[in-house]
Every structure is written in structure tokens, then in C-alpha cells.
Amino acid sequence: MTSESNRQKELDRRERLLREREVELRLREMETNIHTTDAAFHQTVKHQPENSPKPWMKKVILGGKLFVLGVAALVAVKIASVLAGFMIVAALGWMSYKLFLESKKPNL
């Protein structure tokens, strides 16, 4: 009985060793497959729906928006400079009036 159990244990041990070697061999094969430089390269392409605008159209729209923004900035600067000019002229006129035209006699 002990010889049969010893034999069974020996078979189990050998089977376990064989499985461990197979696993190690598979792991080495997988590692070599991962590290190969001959991996297939697939070029990806972004999906474009059929009814979407073309890429050049997006650039034209973006350029138009930028142009409108530039024009709006120039108009805003022009309006601000005109208003600043009016305020400067008004301030100079008021100071001139106060200095030269206003009566220096106190009203008693």
C-alpha cells in the first residue's frame, strides 16, 4: 500500500513539474511574441460621417470666425479711441473755462 501511495505521489510530483515547465515555456513564447519588432502596424483613420462637413470646411469656418473677431476688436478700439478723444477735449475745455473764463470775484 505504501509503495502504491509512493508511486502515486511520485506521479503527481512529476505531473506537477511537467505542468510547471509547460507554463514556463508558454510564458517565454508569449514574451518573445510581445517583444518581436515585426508586429503588424495598422494605420487608423478617424470615422467621418457622410453628412459631416469636410475638414477644409471646418478650417474655413474657423478662419471666418477669427476674421470677424479681428474686425470686432478693431471696431471696438476705434470707438474707444474716439470716446477717449471726446473726453480729453471736454476735460481740456472744462479746465480752460475754470482757469480763464470763470469770474475770480467772490459773490457776496
Side-chain angles (χ1 to χ4, degrees), residues 3-44:
S3 71
E4 178 129 348
S5 70
N6 284 343
R7 185 169 184 232
Q8 185 64 30
K9 285 181 183 179
E10 182 65 26
L11 284 175
D12 288 342
R13 186 183 64 79
R14 286 184 181 182
E15 188 175 327
R16 188 174 55 249
L17 285 173
L18 183 62
R19 273 193 246 125
E20 287 175 1
R21 287 179 188 160
E22 286 176 356
V23 168
E24 288 176 2
L25 181 64
R26 279 192 230 141
L27 286 174
R28 275 192 231 116
E29 288 175 358
M30 290 171 71
E31 188 174 313
T32 56
N33 285 342
I34 289 173
H35 295 300
T36 58
T37 57
D38 299 332
F41 178 74
H42 299 286
Q43 181 67 32
T44 58

Side-chain angles (χ1 to χ4, degrees):
M1 186 131 214
T2 58
S3 71
E4 178 129 348
S5 70
N6 284 343
R7 185 169 184 232
Q8 185 64 30
K9 285 181 183 179
E10 182 65 26
L11 284 175
D12 288 342
R13 186 183 64 79
R14 286 184 181 182
E15 188 175 327
R16 188 174 55 249
L17 285 173
L18 183 62
R19 273 193 246 125
E20 287 175 1
R21 287 179 188 160
E22 286 176 356
V23 168
E24 288 176 2
L25 181 64
R26 279 192 230 141
L27 286 174
R28 275 192 231 116
E29 288 175 358
M30 290 171 71
E31 188 174 313
T32 56
N33 285 342
I34 289 173
H35 295 300
T36 58
T37 57
D38 299 332
F41 178 74
H42 299 286
Q43 181 67 32
T44 58
V45 178
K46 184 178 178 182
H47 174 69
Q48 294 283 342
E50 293 178 16
N51 58 358
S52 71
K54 304 292 182 211
W56 60 269
M57 191 63 171
K58 288 181 181 179
K59 290 181 181 179
V60 168
I61 291 171
L62 184 64
K65 287 179 183 178
L66 183 62
F67 177 75
V68 169
L69 184 64
V71 169
L74 287 175
V75 169
V77 166
K78 192 69 167 176
I79 290 171
S81 67
V82 168
L83 287 175
F86 285 147
M87 290 174 61
I88 290 171
V89 168
L92 286 175
W94 181 76
M95 284 193 302
S96 298
Y97 171 76
K98 284 289 192 182
L99 287 174
F100 301 115
L101 300 176
E102 193 175 57
S103 171
K104 293 181 184 177
K105 298 178 190 175
N107 292 337
L108 293 174

